[in-house]
Amino acid sequence: MKNWKFALGMAFGLVSTSAYCAGQVTNYAKSSGYKACLSTVSDLEIFFADNANYGSWAFVAKDKSDDQPLNATLELTYTDGVQLIDFTVIPSKDGTCSYSYSRTWYSEKSCMATSKEAFMSNATYKAEINKNITAFEDTKGAKILLTPAGVGCMVQKKEIGFRHKKQNS
């Protein structure tokens, strides 16, 4: 019985350790033959997940993958909650790489209180999307959407990097 518990503990240890391994999406892209925007994929993965406990799920077309967008979803797990990151990297004919991302998380505060948080300090109100979602834009052009969710607020931050950079060789 002790051996079974030890083996199970070792298996869980390996799973949780691998969650801290950087480069999950970058390694997937490499193994899929995706070279067109590999440095941009790596830059984004490091930006979002460096030193974080995370898991990922990514995909790219197998046929002519260097001409296709790559999409990745990251789950960043923190002691105070979870964040969902979804990013897409798109190669351009000129060798640059554009991207878009959405970062989504739940705040236990109301949307009014969330709008006064430090991360919103450079954001200005823009519009009500329809009935429930309030849109803001920060000074760097990122869009921030606040949606009431129970007693708290669902936050989504979106940004586009157009022709981000040339691929590193």
Side-chain angles (χ1 to χ4, degrees):
M1 186 62 129
K2 285 184 179 182
N3 290 339
W4 177 82
K5 288 180 183 179
F6 176 75
L8 184 60
M10 287 299 293
F12 283 132
L14 293 174
V15 169
S16 65
T17 302
S18 68
Y20 284 94
C21 294
Q24 295 174 27
V25 178
T26 304
N27 289 336
Y28 165 79
K30 285 179 189 175
S31 69
S32 297
Y34 188 76
K35 297 179 219 110
C37 294
L38 198 54
S39 66
T40 302
V41 170
S42 179
D43 289 349
L44 287 168
E45 185 171 19
I46 290 168
F47 175 73
F48 290 118
D50 194 32
N51 296 318
N53 178 352
Y54 78 106
S56 64
W57 191 20
F59 61 97
V60 66
K62 297 293 181 195
D63 187 40
K64 298 182 182 177
S65 61
D66 275 340
D67 296 332
Q68 307 298 326
L70 177 137
N71 180 264
T73 300
L74 307 177
E75 176 190 336
L76 305 178
T77 307
Y78 301 103
T79 56
D80 62 346
V82 67
Q83 290 188 7
L84 173 68
I85 309 293
D86 189 78
F87 70 83
T88 301
V89 177
I90 304 156
S92 299
K93 298 264 184 231
D94 67 359
T96 61
C97 302
S98 297
Y99 66 86
S100 67
Y101 79 82
S102 295
R103 179 189 292 243
T104 306
W105 72 94
Y106 177 77
S107 169
E108 293 181 353
K109 298 178 179 180
S110 70
C111 287
M112 181 62 76
T114 300
S115 72
K116 296 176 187 334
E117 290 286 315
F119 76 91
M120 295 284 294
S121 65
N122 293 321
T124 57
Y125 170 83
K126 290 299 179 184
E128 297 295 319
I129 301 297
N130 189 20
K131 294 181 180 183
N132 299 303
I133 301 173
T134 306
F136 295 81
E137 186 172 351
D138 73 14
T139 55
K140 295 179 181 176
K143 312 295 190 223
I144 303 168
L145 305 171
L146 303 181
T147 308
V151 296
C153 185
M154 189 63 65
V155 181
Q156 186 176 68
K157 182 176 182 182
K158 303 167 86 67
E159 191 169 8
I160 292 176
F162 182 66
R163 293 198 169 147
H164 174 61
K165 67 188 230 180
K166 293 266 189 188
Q167 168 63 39
N168 292 341
S169 299

